[in-house]
């Protein structure tokens, strides 16, 4: 790979040794997950375990396996103290003297495994508040503004880690020749404007008037303002947001008649994605309030989210106010 920058080298100058150990352990675990996802059709691990998780959602076999792999690798890091996951009801203490805690969605969008659509691992890292010993809920109930590192691994046509430690956003592609992550997307930026809107339009009958009016705005023919915008929706947050990072646009999962606080989880989906988005020059709110300033009060709480190109999020907020 010539002089391409490896993830470990990048972390030497962009994080401290304890944080780097957590990120490298996480990346090693996600390399295993990537291989399992790529071979899923051959190894009989497509399909469900027959259980439902704390969210009441059907657990895919790969959800369960990914969750176990990440707990094992992060325990081995010795610097990750605690673990919160979509797949676990409560928090798990991994290393009593560790300094960091992680909130993670081990395999976001896993229902898409059998259709080979992009899925991913989303994570948020904070420093623990408690001194040592068992982690507490307070360690995890920190506003997104205190995030030390956030990122996602997308398992798609290639496996890419998109990461921020607070100084911008960088992408690292997994080289299948030597199984190492190399810097491939330096200094990622989300364009201020965009021509793609992304939401589950099937729910339009359940949306508030403001959201319906924004959808009408996006789909109105107006050549001067390059409308109608394109509607793109994968049904996998990591896939929809990775496209938003690369091509601009807005991703929306609003509150609706069926989901009073929306569907997506604050701690391990919306905060990490919002941290990355702001670091890349974009914007992320619940339609009114900055996601990173929401005070978490429950481990698996949900929030509405409007996220992506700054000017599009602000246009959506205008419709929600009117
Ligand atoms: P819907 C996947 O289940 C997920 O949590 C996100 O990855 C995705 O954005 C959303 O739910 C899709 O939800 O209701 O449109 O199928």
């Amino acid at each position: 790979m010539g002089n391409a920058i490896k993830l470990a080298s990048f972390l030497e100058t962009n994080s401290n040794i304890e944080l780097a150990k957590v990120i490298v352990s996480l990346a090693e675990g996600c390399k295993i997950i990537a291989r399992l996802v790529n071979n899923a059709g051959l190894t009989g691990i497509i399909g469900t375990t027959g259980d439902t998780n704390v969210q009441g959602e059907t657990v895919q076999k790969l959800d369960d396996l990914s969750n176990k792999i990440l707990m094992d690798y992060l325990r081995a890091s010795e610097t990750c103290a605690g673990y919160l996951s979509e797949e676990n009801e409560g928090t798990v203490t991994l290393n009593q003297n560790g300094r960091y805690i992680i909130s993670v969605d081990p395999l976001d969008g896993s229902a898409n495994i059998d259709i080979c659509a992009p899925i991913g691992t989303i994570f948020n890292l904070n420093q623990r508040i408690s001194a040592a010993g068992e982690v507490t809920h307070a360690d995890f109930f920190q506003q997104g503004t205190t995030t030390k590192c956030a990122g996602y691994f997308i398992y798609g046509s290639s496996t890419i880690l998109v990461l921020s430690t607070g100084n911008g956003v960088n992408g690292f592609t997994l080289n299948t020749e030597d199984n190492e992550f190399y810097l491939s997307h330096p200094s990622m930026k989300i364009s201020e404007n965009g021509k793609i809107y992304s939401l589950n339009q099937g729910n339009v009958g359940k949306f508030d008037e403001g959201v319906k009016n924004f959808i009408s705005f996006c789909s109105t023919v107006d050549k001067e303002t390059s409308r109608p915008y394109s509607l793109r929706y994968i049904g996998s947050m990591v896939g929809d947001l990775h496209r938003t990072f690369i091509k601009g646009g807005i991703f929306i999962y609003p509150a609706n008649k069926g989901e009073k606080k929306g569907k997506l989880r604050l701690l391990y989906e919306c905060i990490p994605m919002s941290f990355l988005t702001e670091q890349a020059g974009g914007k992320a709110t619940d339609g009114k309030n900055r996601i990173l300033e929401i005070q978490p009060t429950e481990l698996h709480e949900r929030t509405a989210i409007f996220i992506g190109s700054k000017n599009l999020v602000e246009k959506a907020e205008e419709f929600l106010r009117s």
Side-chain angles (χ1 to χ4, degrees):
M1 290 302 298
N3 57 1
I5 299 171
K6 275 188 181 180
L7 175 61
S9 313
F10 175 87
L11 292 174
E12 280 170 17
T13 50
N14 287 276
S15 75
N16 63 58
I17 183 71
E18 289 170 296
L19 179 59
K21 284 178 80 173
V22 178
I23 298 168
V24 168
S25 301
L26 184 63
E28 288 307 309
C30 289
K31 288 178 186 176
I32 309 281
I33 295 172
R35 250 203 320 279
L36 288 170
V37 167
N38 291 152
N39 295 326
L42 301 171
T43 52
I45 50 176
I46 282 184
T48 67
T49 62
D51 301 323
T52 53
N53 64 17
V54 65
Q55 328 286 342
E57 291 176 344
T58 303
V59 178
Q60 302 288 335
K61 288 177 189 169
L62 262 174
D63 284 325
D64 198 36
L65 199 44
S66 303
N67 191 41
K68 291 185 168 73
I69 288 166
L70 293 184
M71 281 195 280
D72 287 349
Y73 273 78
L74 287 163
R75 186 175 289 111
S77 75
E78 297 177 351
T79 54
C80 186
Y83 183 88
L84 166 67
S85 154
E86 179 186 75
E87 301 305 328
N88 299 338
E89 186 154 0
T91 59
V92 177
T93 298
L94 298 177
N95 295 288
Q96 299 228 350
N97 296 315
R99 184 170 163 198
Y100 291 94
I101 55 109
I102 189 168
S103 302
V104 62
D105 183 351
L107 202 56
D108 173 72
S110 54
N112 287 303
I113 293 170
D114 46 358
I115 62 165
C116 211
I119 55 181
T121 299
I122 310 172
F123 65 93
N124 202 73
L125 289 167
N126 285 89
Q127 285 192 10
R128 69 184 299 170
I129 293 175
S130 54
E134 294 293 310
V135 289
T136 65
H137 283 190
D139 287 322
F140 293 85
F141 291 162
Q142 300 183 57
Q143 286 186 5
T145 47
T146 66
T147 290
K148 295 294 174 281
C149 172
Y152 60 83
F153 294 81
I154 181 167
Y155 313 115
S157 51
S158 53
T159 294
I160 299 175
L161 162 61
V162 174
L163 176 83
S164 175
T165 53
N167 300 303
V169 179
N170 292 282
F172 301 82
T173 296
L174 182 64
N175 175 353
T176 53
E177 300 297 314
D178 63 3
N179 206 30
E180 291 290 350
F181 281 102
Y182 290 90
L183 182 63
S184 53
H185 299 67
S187 301
M188 294 173 76
K189 292 288 178 206
I190 294 184
S191 55
E192 282 207 337
N193 298 301
K195 297 174 186 164
I196 297 172
Y197 68 111
S198 181
L199 79 168
N200 185 341
Q201 187 125 342
N203 289 329
V204 68
K206 297 191 273 186
F207 293 156
D208 295 345
E209 280 313 303
V211 178
K212 290 180 185 174
N213 294 337
F214 177 64
I215 293 172
S216 300
F217 167 81
C218 293
S219 47
T220 296
V221 179
D222 179 277
K223 281 188 89 170
E224 272 181 33
T225 55
S226 311
R227 287 180 290 154
Y229 298 149
S230 295
L231 173 59
R232 294 285 183 273
Y233 193 69
I234 302 170
S236 168
M237 188 184 198
V238 173
D240 282 315
L241 278 179
H242 190 65
R243 182 199 55 249
T244 304
F245 269 91
I246 303 297
K247 296 191 178 294
I250 183 171
F251 172 83
I252 298 173
Y253 208 107
N256 59 75
K257 292 191 179 70
E259 297 157 311
K260 293 294 179 212
K261 288 196 74 178
K263 172 181 184 183
L264 300 176
R265 293 75 172 184
L266 176 62
L267 285 177
Y268 41 80
E269 289 173 334
C270 295
I271 284 179
M273 285 303 194
S274 301
F275 183 82
L276 286 169
T277 296
E278 289 196 4
Q279 285 287 321
K283 187 167 184 177
T285 72
D286 61 5
K288 186 179 172 192
N289 310 297
R290 187 183 174 209
I291 294 284
L292 297 188
E293 290 176 352
I294 295 175
Q295 176 53 54
T297 56
E298 291 169 31
L299 295 175
H300 301 288
E301 72 180 88
R302 300 168 193 262
T303 178
I305 187 165
F306 295 71
I307 183 170
S309 295
K310 182 172 170 294
N311 294 344
L312 263 182
V313 172
E314 289 174 356
K315 176 58 83 175
E317 289 173 335
E318 265 177 49
F319 282 98
L320 294 176
R321 281 195 299 269
S322 62

